[in-house]
Amino acid sequence: MVSYKELGLVNTREMFKKAMAGKYAIPAYNFNNMEQLQAIIIACVESKSPVILQVSSGARKYANQTMLRYMAQGAVQMGREMGVNIPITLHLDHGDTFELCVSCIETGFSSVMIDGSAHTYDDNIALTKKVVEYAHARDISVEGELGVLAGIEDEVKHEASNYTKPEQVEDFVSRTGVDSLAISIGTSHGAYKFKVKPGEQPPPLRFDILAEVERRIPGFPIVLHGASSVVPEYVALINKYGGKLEGAVGVPEDQLRRAAASAVCKINIDSDGRLAMTAKIREVLATSPKEFDPRKYLGPARTELIALMKHKNEKVLGSAGKA
Ligand code: G3H
Ligand code: 13P
Ligand code: ZN
């Protein structure tokens, strides 16, 4: 068993306490490869933001869990060498079994999500509580989930959004002992979050549900999944250079700003980074057809990711300057 503390990582407890008091949200960025991880560290060090590095089940299959852990260890060292010590958490995104959470904890993760939202309420509680007991004995933080996001949650497909029922949150939080709670208020994963006609605004998130959750568990850290804005400039660039992303729509940034100022302490962003990378890679390959050095297209993709994440930290989540 490797302790995350030896790797220079932290759990989310202190981060969330400060984010709650300061009315901002910690960015949780997913990574699967070196360029994404470098971009996250550079963007967060340059904007002096705490950060949560997220590893999904898909990322584990793609890049190997042990490889990702060593990459995170390297990222901590790289950040230190840049001269600013930012708090960094290594977090399992959408863990679906107790065994997976244990495996990540033993590998050196400092935080895990146990997503029991596909189970019945009682089974979700039993599974989440079991993970919390194991994790807390090792000073690891745990995120639970109540309510189901529309779209694709990792490999679990859900047809419709099943908003969090505020009347369940006190019971869930007290019976499981989780450190934070992901809720469903209208966001969804991926690049197609809302079906709207061209030029139409997507429907607002259910801030009424969020307010009722806050009233019932005041000061408790809330997590927003599926929070990419699906930046229209990237969608346009992808389509300009041969892509076919029709009707891709995300959460408007003003709504994320509002969420970040509430009890929402963690905002998950993956799709925006995927779009930024793909847009730049498509642009380079289309405009420089003779290019075949991966650094010549992955480099600009990484530069764009850095700009995107600095923008999120500085102008949307409010986490810049809080490290
Ligand atoms: O929650 C979903 C994340 O965007 C991760 O997705 O399983 O394709 O890596 P993934
Ligand atoms: P997006 O697909 O909106 O980026 O959401 C990512 C996420 O919630 C990861 O858990
Ligand atoms: Zn998610």
Side-chain angles (χ1 to χ4, degrees):
M1 158 113 192
V2 191
S3 165
Y4 69 86
K5 292 175 188 171
E6 289 162 29
L7 308 184
L9 298 162
V10 296
N11 66 29
T12 58
R13 221 156 285 144
E14 199 59 28
M15 271 187 197
F16 287 169
K17 207 193 277 176
K18 290 183 179 161
M20 182 71 72
K23 296 190 180 301
Y24 61 92
I26 309 289
Y29 296 122
N30 290 69
F31 76 103
N32 298 265
N33 64 34
M34 184 188 74
E35 284 78 8
Q36 288 173 319
L37 184 55
Q38 288 173 320
I40 298 169
I41 294 302
I42 294 168
C44 292
V45 166
E46 287 185 356
S47 58
K48 297 190 173 56
S49 171
V51 68
I52 297 170
L53 306 172
Q54 295 207 133
V55 170
S56 70
S57 291
R60 288 176 62 253
K61 283 186 201 129
Y62 177 77
N64 182 285
Q65 180 177 305
T66 306
M67 172 64 89
L68 292 169
R69 184 288 250 182
Y70 279 99
M71 284 170 69
Q73 190 176 353
V76 168
Q77 191 57 33
M78 177 182 159
R80 285 184 181 157
E81 285 168 11
M82 288 177 71
V84 187
N85 217 350
I86 58 167
I88 301 175
T89 294
L90 181 61
H91 175 79
L92 168 66
D93 191 24
H94 293 285
D96 58 350
T97 63
F98 173 74
E99 291 73 21
L100 173 55
C101 293
V102 169
S103 163
C104 286
I105 289 168
E106 287 186 341
T107 309
F109 284 50
S110 57
S111 180
V112 293
M113 172 186 195
I114 178 70
D115 180 355
S117 65
H119 296 286
T120 62
Y121 180 68
D122 285 335
D123 287 353
N124 186 359
I125 289 188
L127 176 61
T128 306
K129 187 173 185 321
K130 190 173 167 189
V131 171
V132 168
E133 279 167 3
Y134 183 88
H136 281 185
R138 292 153 183 84
D139 208 14
I140 310 275
S141 42
V142 180
E143 174 184 332
E145 178 166 331
L146 255 188
V148 178
L149 273 70
I152 301 166
E153 282 212 5
D154 246 79
E155 285 158 359
V156 189
K157 287 189 179 155
H158 299 289
E159 289 306 315
S161 181
N162 176 354
Y163 297 123
T164 302
K165 296 181 178 71
E167 60 276 17
Q168 290 181 335
V169 296
E170 283 159 281
D171 184 60
F172 185 85
V173 161
S174 67
R175 281 170 63 192
T176 58
V178 281
D179 302 280
S180 61
L181 182 67
I183 62 168
S184 172
I185 57 167
T187 61
S188 63
H189 292 106
Y192 301 89
K193 300 191 189 299
F194 307 100
K195 281 200 177 75
V196 290
K197 297 196 183 87
E200 231 176 58
Q201 276 293 102
L205 299 181
R206 292 291 303 271
F207 283 100
D208 56 320
I209 297 177
L210 175 59
E212 185 55 19
V213 167
E214 284 190 74
R215 195 183 69 74
R216 288 171 181 266
I217 44 172
F220 192 82
I222 301 300
V223 178
L224 206 59
H225 282 248
S228 279
S229 311
V230 186
V231 179
E233 290 77 8
Y234 295 142
V235 175
L237 209 55
I238 288 171
N239 289 339
K240 178 177 172 188
Y241 290 114
K244 235 179 175 358
L245 298 183
E246 282 151 16
V249 178
V251 184
E253 288 188 340
D254 58 338
Q255 297 201 32
L256 296 173
R257 276 183 206 103
R258 183 172 165 192
S262 73
V264 171
C265 290
K266 171 174 179 270
I267 290 192
N268 287 11
I269 299 171
D270 187 3
S271 296
D272 278 341
R274 296 178 181 196
L275 291 166
M277 280 199 97
T278 303
K280 278 293 150 187
I281 291 170
R282 275 193 179 278
E283 183 180 50
V284 174
L285 294 182
T287 55
S288 309
K290 295 201 172 123
E291 200 51 75
F292 65 93
D293 179 347
R295 293 171 297 187
K296 294 289 169 22
Y297 49 86
L298 293 176
R302 183 176 59 194
T303 304
E304 192 58 45
L305 270 182
I306 295 169
L308 166 78
M309 291 169 185
K310 283 174 87 168
H311 166 77
K312 297 279 180 191
N313 296 351
E314 287 163 6
K315 303 279 187 319
V316 186
L317 277 60
S319 63
K322 308 293 188 188

